[in-house]
């Protein structure tokens, strides 16, 4: 059964949430263990809305998962039991949705379930990659090190993704500005201009006629164009969701000049970083490859990793299988992995490859932006220049006459 509670914490702040328990007495016992003083406990009807929407009314960010992993690692390494650590962290978290998740995990651990088993109930928060590292830590008795290991990995991934997103803000603003200017010209500036020019009674230049015709078309059929864009966008989105569409889209992205090489560096870096983390955490090579396959995010690379798995199963070296895909893994990556296998330091070699391609990605991102920015500015300048020319040409002809 699910119960919605309202309680005061030790600081007197009101906390709201949902607990799954067998009775109100069990809810009261759980809240008291967390240091909460309940003011109301109400059983919820078993509807999908109450079970799902209320529980996840706040999104759980990657940053919160990283902080949770780091804090849990520190507390366990300091001698605090896993259960007490979970309860303590649960009290401190402000996100009510994540607080509920940790509360439920602590309940499962208290009931005798392994920590990794409790995490499997929340696949949208803790993926197979995360859980595999935790399982290794549980089996080896080094859970604190495993938590710290996965926190380091997630933090590097988070920082890289944040850098890429931040770098794309300026180009996105330029695109929005360009479309905003085009819309303003078509709906406000050009209609007013066309009335003035036509009232002169002179033959208008061809450029001016074209600009006025385009503006008239936009004004008359904007709703149709908007509808076409929505239908086209939705159709592409649905097509990409299909296996064949996803594969064609991923393949196309890798073949676009400039963008393709940039994406390949990202995928190679992610592949090497993830595989290095798993191998360093004690996961076998085959299991690591299987997990990395799910995290790559590109069908073409997933197919290549499937080939790696089949090759390793047959007794081949990983470097030998990489050679079969030179378009996806360049010679530098192949050579470094080959050296790692020969010296017995595959994890370190993969880490070196990951660091190298992360630096290459940073340079590639800078180059891509340096190329994209002038292209967008030139496009915006051409649009404005054409409209200005369309206005000035008739006036110039009048002055000349």
């Amino acid at each position: 059964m699910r119960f919605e509670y309202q309680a005061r914490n030790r600081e007197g702040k009101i906390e709201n949430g949902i607990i799954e328990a067998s009775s109100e007495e069990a809810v009261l016992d759980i809240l008291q263990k967390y240091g909460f003083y309940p003011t109301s406990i109400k059983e919820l009807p078993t509807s999908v809305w109450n079970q799902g929407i209320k529980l996840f009314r706040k999104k759980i960010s990657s940053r919160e998962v990283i902080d949770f992993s780091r804090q849990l690692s520190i507390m366990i390494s300091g001698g605090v039991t896993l259960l007490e650590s979970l309860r303590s962290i649960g009290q401190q978290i402000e996100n009510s949705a994540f607080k509920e998740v940790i509360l439920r995990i602590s309940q499962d651990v208290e009931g005798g379930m392994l920590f990794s088993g409790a995490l499997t109930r929340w696949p949208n928060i803790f993926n197979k990659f995360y859980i595999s590292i935790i399982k290794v830590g549980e089996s080896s008795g080094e859970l604190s090190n495993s938590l710290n290991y996965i926190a380091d990995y997630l933090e590097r991934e988070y920082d890289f993704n944040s850098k890429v997103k931040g770098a794309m803000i300026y180009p996105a603003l330029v695109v929005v500005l360009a479309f905003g200017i085009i819309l303003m010209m078509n709906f406000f500036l050009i209609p007013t201009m066309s009335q003035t020019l036509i009232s002169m009674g002179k033959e208008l230049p061809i450029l001016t006629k074209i600009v006025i015709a385009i503006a008239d078309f936009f004004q008359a059929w904007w709703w149709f164009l908007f509808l076409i864009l929505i239908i086209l966008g939705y159709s592409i989105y649905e097509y990409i969701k299909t296996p064949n569409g996803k594969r064609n889209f991923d393949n196309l992205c890798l073949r676009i000049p400039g963008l393709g090489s940039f994406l390949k560096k990202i995928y190679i870096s992610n592949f090497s970083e993830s595989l290095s983390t798993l191998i360093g955490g004690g996961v076998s090579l085959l299991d690591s490859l299987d997990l990395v396959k799910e995290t790559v995010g590109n069908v073409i690379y997933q197919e290549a990793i499937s080939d790696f798995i089949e090759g390793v199963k047959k007794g081949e070296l990983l470097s030998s299988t990489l050679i079969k895909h030179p378009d996806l893994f360049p010679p530098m990556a192949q050579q470094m992995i080959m050296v790692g296998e020969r010296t017995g330091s595959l994890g370190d070699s993969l880490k070196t490859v990951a660091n190298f391609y992360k630096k290459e990605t940073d340079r590639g991102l800078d180059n891509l932006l340096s190329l994209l920015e002038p292209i967008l500015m030139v496009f915006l300048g051409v649009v404005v220049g054409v409209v200005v020319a369309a206005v000035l040409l008739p006036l110039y002809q009048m002055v000349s006459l």
Side-chain angles (χ1 to χ4, degrees):
M1 295 184 290
R2 292 179 181 271
F3 295 87
E4 185 175 28
Y5 70 85
Q6 185 179 79
R8 291 185 181 276
N9 59 23
R10 291 171 180 172
E11 290 75 29
K13 183 181 177 182
I14 295 293
E15 299 279 355
N16 295 288
I18 299 171
I19 292 180
E20 184 173 357
S22 58
S23 63
E24 287 191 18
E25 290 75 15
V27 175
L28 184 63
D29 183 56
I30 292 169
L31 291 174
Q32 288 177 344
K33 287 180 180 179
Y34 273 85
F36 290 157
Y37 304 93
T39 56
S40 76
I41 299 174
K42 181 175 66 174
E43 183 179 352
L44 292 173
T46 56
S47 65
V48 175
W49 178 268
N50 284 320
Q51 289 182 4
I53 302 301
K54 282 190 176 182
L55 183 60
F56 293 104
R57 55 185 174 270
K58 289 184 179 179
K59 184 179 178 181
I60 298 171
S61 66
S62 300
R63 183 74 257 175
E64 288 174 312
V65 176
I66 294 170
D67 292 340
F68 163 75
S69 305
R70 188 80 70 192
Q71 291 174 27
L72 192 58
S73 172
I74 293 171
M75 294 187 72
I76 293 175
S77 64
V80 185
T81 65
L82 174 62
L83 185 59
E84 289 300 321
S85 299
L86 288 170
R87 288 174 177 170
S88 177
I89 294 171
Q91 290 179 352
Q92 301 170 23
I93 291 178
E94 296 181 358
N95 186 329
S96 59
F98 201 21
K99 184 187 292 289
E100 294 298 329
V101 170
I102 296 174
L103 176 61
R104 298 274 293 279
I105 291 173
S106 67
Q107 290 174 16
D108 291 336
V109 171
E110 187 177 19
M113 185 180 291
L114 287 175
F115 181 46
S116 57
L119 294 179
T120 57
R121 296 191 175 188
W122 309 97
N124 294 331
I125 304 171
F126 305 100
N127 57 24
K128 291 181 180 179
F129 185 98
Y130 189 104
I131 294 170
S132 295
I133 297 292
I134 298 301
K135 284 182 179 179
V136 172
E138 288 176 329
S139 62
S140 64
E142 298 289 340
L143 181 57
S144 175
N145 291 338
S146 293
L147 284 164
N148 191 55
Y149 209 71
I150 193 67
D152 288 340
Y153 168 80
L154 292 175
E155 190 146 31
R156 288 192 297 269
E157 187 180 56
Y158 176 82
D159 291 341
F160 177 75
N161 292 335
S162 298
K163 183 175 182 178
V164 173
K165 291 177 183 178
M168 296 306 294
I169 289 177
Y170 176 73
L173 289 175
V174 174
V175 171
V176 172
L177 177 63
F179 277 101
I181 291 174
I182 291 171
L183 290 175
M184 288 181 62
M185 286 181 172
N186 279 282
F187 285 96
F188 300 103
L189 176 62
I190 297 177
T192 305
M193 174 199 74
S194 62
Q195 293 178 2
T196 304
L197 295 177
I198 293 172
S199 65
M200 295 179 181
K202 301 290 184 180
E203 181 68 19
L204 297 177
I206 294 178
L207 179 61
T208 305
K209 289 181 179 180
I210 292 174
V211 171
I212 293 174
I214 292 174
D216 291 340
F217 178 80
F218 267 102
Q219 282 190 310
W221 296 98
W222 66 268
W223 58 272
F224 179 73
L225 295 173
F226 184 69
L227 183 63
I228 290 295
L229 286 175
I230 292 178
I231 294 174
L232 183 62
Y234 180 76
S235 300
I236 294 174
Y237 172 75
E238 288 296 320
Y239 176 68
I240 292 175
K241 286 170 63 177
T242 64
N244 189 48
K246 171 66 174 169
R247 189 185 190 285
N248 290 334
F249 177 77
D250 288 348
N251 188 41
L252 175 64
C253 289
L254 293 178
R255 293 180 180 276
I256 296 175
L259 178 63
S261 60
F262 174 71
L263 290 177
K264 287 179 182 179
K265 292 172 184 176
I266 292 178
Y267 293 134
I268 295 171
S269 175
N270 289 343
F271 169 82
S272 305
E273 176 86 9
S274 301
L275 194 59
S276 171
T277 301
L278 287 166
I279 292 174
V283 184
S284 67
L285 177 59
L286 273 175
D287 290 339
S288 298
L289 286 170
D290 194 47
L291 289 167
V292 170
K293 177 183 172 183
E294 299 182 15
T295 62
V296 171
N298 183 283
V299 174
I300 307 302
Y301 273 87
Q302 288 176 346
E303 292 174 352
I305 296 172
S306 295
D307 291 342
F308 301 164
I309 294 172
E310 292 303 317
V312 172
K313 284 181 179 178
K314 295 176 183 177
E316 297 178 16
L317 293 174
L318 177 59
S319 55
S320 300
T321 61
L322 285 173
I323 296 174
K324 301 175 184 178
H325 300 273
D327 54 328
L328 301 180
F329 293 89
M332 184 270 176
Q334 298 172 14
Q335 292 296 325
M336 287 299 302
I337 290 174
M338 183 183 296
V339 170
E341 288 178 318
R342 289 177 177 176
T343 59
S345 57
L346 180 58
D348 293 336
S349 294
L350 286 166
K351 179 73 72 176
T352 302
V353 173
N355 292 334
F356 173 80
Y357 279 101
K358 276 193 174 181
K359 293 177 181 178
E360 286 293 302
T361 302
D362 290 341
R363 284 192 287 267
L365 181 61
D366 293 337
N367 293 335
L368 188 63
L369 291 178
S370 63
L371 180 65
L372 188 61
E373 289 175 9
I375 290 175
L376 292 173
M377 296 305 295
V378 168
F379 170 74
L380 183 60
V382 168
V383 172
V384 175
V386 168
V387 175
V388 172
V391 175
L392 294 181
L393 277 175
L395 299 177
Y396 177 76
Q397 288 180 349
M398 289 181 62
V399 173
S400 298
L401 293 174

